[in-house]
Amino acid sequence: MLELRRNPAPAANPENAAAAPAVAPKVGFVSLGCPKALVDSEQILTQLRAEGYQTAKSYAGADLVIVNTCGFIDAAVQESLDAIGEALAENGKVIVTGCLGAKKDASGEDIITKVHPKVLAVTGPHAMTEVMESVHLHLPKPHDPFVDLVPDHGVKLTPKHYAYLKISEGCNHRCSFCIIPSMRGDLVSRPIHEVLVEAENLFKAGVKELLVISQDTSAYGVDVKFRTGFWNGRPIKTHMTQLTEALGQLARQYDAWVRMHYVYPYPHVDQVIPLMGDGHVLPYLDIPMQHAHPDVLKRMKRPASGEKNLDRILAWRKMNPDLTIRSTFIAGFPGETEAEFEYLLDFLREAQIDRLGCFAYSPVEGATANELANPVPEEVREERRARVMLLQEEISAKRLQAKVGKTLRVLVDEVGPREAIGRSAADAPEIDGVVHIKRPLGQGKGKLVVGQFADVVITKADAHDLWATPV
């Protein structure tokens, strides 16, 4: 989450006001939500910079504030409404965008304007044009924008050494617990040449890890019937497999990583596993399974059954024993019986998921799951979530312990006086574990550098993280 400071800007000197040169208008930005929303924020900030606007680091230093919201679950809705309220209180001129902007309450009224009627404008997600129109209306753009001041890779909110690459918008699934399609619409895949140009620009700018994101990465190109595009003069299909292969070739040129997120376990994902063998397309799949029992998945309206998921995971691990699988699950979905929950626990014991997040089911306004019979009491939902996480700690500790004594390549995120923090191929930023790297006394300066790779030997593990020393 990108936040603005409340620190007041220095007071202007009225005696020098007449002589002061024209200052480019400043826009503050607050970005909430998932990596897909973060990419939306980066696109808006890039356009602002291209048009000559500056970004402000405090509310008081901003002529206007944009808040990019999340509206998926109740906690995210409240966080977004609180952020809007703070921006209004601290600055007064606020434009709102993002998923919450597309959300209505039970009576069909706009949630944001009902709570905060003083906002200047409200748009939904992925609405850069509409946001810029509102900015122009309330804060006219500078007369002489310097587009050459904007780097080819645009403005990024992540550290310089990793970046998110969004390959599509929207989703064709209608999962009963999810309202994303009502806010972001159906699947719209970006042209493959456009995706690859952005990827290459990011690598040229020094990005060492590219995280591929969408609502459904496996469905990339379905909406355009896997249309053939062109990249570097050769034909290439708008398809997950060919995209992954091309990204891997680019990553190899720049000695970088590609990490795949939000991958549904469709059969064609089998073709991606062999591409994960050279250390550039990482042996890592982020698969949002949500549950394992066929009846629960049916009530969720998920596109795959639990038995097929397990068979596919076991087959993938035979193809690549180093494969890391991350997933998320929901405990206490409406109608979930104790037997169905125990089935999920058995699935986890057999699947041995490496990285796992579990959420107690939370009713989302507008989701069809709210109409399902036999809702699970909140205390049972929470108790089941805790049981999943307790089991996962055992699984994770065992799988991480098996890495002790091995040499791993890590990407360094932080360097301190006594230790550095890095991530291995099994660790996505912010959601997975880290590798704590001890810095030996007398080691030459610059040995461990933020944004660079290092080989380390694993010396210790717990249920979440690893400890290591440089080779």
Side-chain angles (χ1 to χ4, degrees):
M1 179 178 73
L2 176 68
E3 296 179 327
L4 291 176
R5 298 196 304 268
R6 298 185 182 182
N7 302 347
N13 185 343
E15 294 181 2
N16 296 332
V23 177
K26 292 185 177 182
V27 178
F29 213 103
V30 178
S31 186
L32 307 171
C34 65
K36 293 175 284 294
L38 185 72
V39 172
D40 288 350
S41 297
E42 291 173 340
Q43 291 171 346
I44 294 170
L45 284 166
T46 297
Q47 186 62 32
L48 287 166
R49 182 75 61 83
E51 294 188 7
Y53 292 94
Q54 295 183 14
T55 52
K57 295 183 179 180
S58 68
Y59 286 114
D63 299 300
L64 179 150
V65 175
I66 299 172
V67 180
N68 190 3
T69 60
C70 179
F72 185 49
I73 60 175
D74 290 346
V77 170
Q78 190 58 53
E79 181 186 26
S80 294
L81 291 174
D82 290 345
I84 295 166
E86 180 178 286
L88 283 169
E90 297 290 333
N91 182 278
K93 297 180 69 175
V94 179
I95 292 171
V96 180
T97 187
C99 287
L100 186 57
K103 199 170 183 181
K104 309 293 181 183
D105 64 14
S107 63
E109 292 186 62
D110 180 84
I111 289 177
I112 293 171
T113 53
K114 187 175 180 180
V115 177
H116 297 299
K118 292 184 178 181
V119 296
L120 300 177
V122 177
T123 76
H126 198 56
M128 182 179 70
T129 300
E130 293 85 349
V131 171
M132 293 308 302
E133 287 174 353
S134 298
V135 172
H136 297 157
L137 179 63
H138 298 284
L139 189 63
K141 62 182 179 181
H143 294 296
D144 297 307
F146 295 97
V147 295
D148 58 314
L149 297 180
V150 181
D152 291 336
H153 60 277
V155 176
K156 294 296 172 185
L157 298 175
T158 51
K160 291 181 180 180
H161 60 283
Y162 69 82
Y164 293 100
L165 179 69
K166 184 159 61 172
I167 63 173
S168 64
E169 275 292 340
C171 183
N172 287 342
H173 302 303
R174 294 297 182 266
C175 301
S176 60
F177 57 84
C178 181
I179 58 172
I180 292 297
S182 68
M183 296 186 287
R184 288 186 173 263
D186 289 336
L187 175 72
V188 178
S189 300
R190 294 178 62 194
I192 193 162
H193 71 275
E194 183 181 296
V195 173
L196 291 172
V197 166
E198 181 178 347
E200 186 165 29
N201 286 335
L202 288 166
F203 286 137
K204 286 179 178 177
V207 166
K208 287 297 182 180
E209 181 179 7
L210 205 56
L211 301 108
V212 178
I213 59 170
S214 66
Q215 294 297 144
D216 180 358
T217 296
S218 304
Y220 177 64
V222 166
D223 55 312
V224 294
K225 298 181 180 179
F226 306 117
R227 177 189 301 147
T228 298
F230 289 87
W231 167 244
N232 285 344
R234 64 179 179 88
I236 180 169
K237 284 189 176 182
T238 309
H239 190 280
M240 178 194 179
T241 305
Q242 294 202 19
L243 173 64
T244 305
E245 185 175 14
L247 289 173
Q249 291 171 356
L250 277 174
R252 193 176 305 116
Q253 293 176 35
Y254 294 92
D255 189 28
W257 283 351
V258 173
R259 190 184 298 274
M260 308 300 291
H261 286 275
Y262 310 113
V263 176
Y264 280 69
Y266 303 149
H268 68 260
V269 178
D270 296 354
Q271 303 165 18
V272 174
I273 306 301
L275 303 176
M276 297 177 167
D278 69 351
H280 294 290
V281 177
L282 296 178
Y284 179 103
L285 289 177
D286 177 2
I287 307 170
M289 296 180 202
Q290 310 303 359
H291 211 277
H293 195 284
D295 292 342
V296 179
L297 289 168
K298 186 176 180 180
R299 293 196 296 274
M300 288 180 169
K301 297 186 177 179
R302 297 294 287 171
S305 70
E307 299 98 324
K308 290 181 180 178
N309 285 348
L310 182 57
D311 291 344
R312 191 149 283 130
I313 288 170
L314 297 177
W316 289 342
R317 286 214 169 111
K318 284 184 180 179
M319 296 168 68
N320 190 330
D322 293 327
L323 180 66
T324 295
I325 295 177
R326 146 165 280 282
S327 191
T328 52
F329 292 85
I330 297 174
F333 189 76
E336 182 189 62
T337 64
E338 181 64 24
E340 290 170 341
F341 176 71
E342 288 289 348
Y343 185 101
L344 169 60
L345 295 180
D346 290 340
F347 171 89
L348 295 178
R349 292 185 186 101
E350 192 163 357
Q352 294 285 296
I353 303 296
D354 298 89
R355 301 296 195 185
L356 184 148
C358 183
F359 303 91
Y361 173 74
S362 173
V364 177
E365 190 170 346
T368 58
N370 299 337
E371 302 166 10
L372 293 173
N374 303 316
V376 178
E378 182 177 1
E379 61 272 18
V380 177
R381 284 181 259 153
E382 291 293 343
E383 183 264 344
R384 288 178 180 174
R385 184 199 67 80
R387 286 164 66 188
V388 168
M389 295 312 298
L390 189 61
L391 172 61
Q392 181 57 28
E393 280 203 11
E394 297 175 9
I395 294 170
S396 179
K398 181 180 177 181
R399 294 187 71 80
L400 290 179
Q401 186 63 36
K403 297 184 181 185
V404 173
K406 292 184 177 181
T407 299
L408 300 181
R409 194 185 198 206
V410 300
L411 181 58
V412 179
D413 284 336
E414 303 174 28
V415 175
R418 295 187 177 180
E419 76 165 18
I421 302 294
R423 289 179 295 104
S424 72
D427 307 308
E430 298 185 357
I431 57 174
D432 293 330
V434 298
V435 181
H436 300 267
I437 309 164
K438 184 178 180 180
R439 303 190 66 192
L441 294 176
Q443 183 170 298
K445 292 183 178 179
K447 180 70 173 180
L448 296 173
V449 180
V450 171
Q452 298 298 318
F453 293 107
D455 291 328
V456 300
V457 176
I458 305 303
T459 58
K460 188 177 76 168
D462 65 12
H464 305 286
D465 298 334
L466 298 170
W467 281 258
T469 56
V471 172

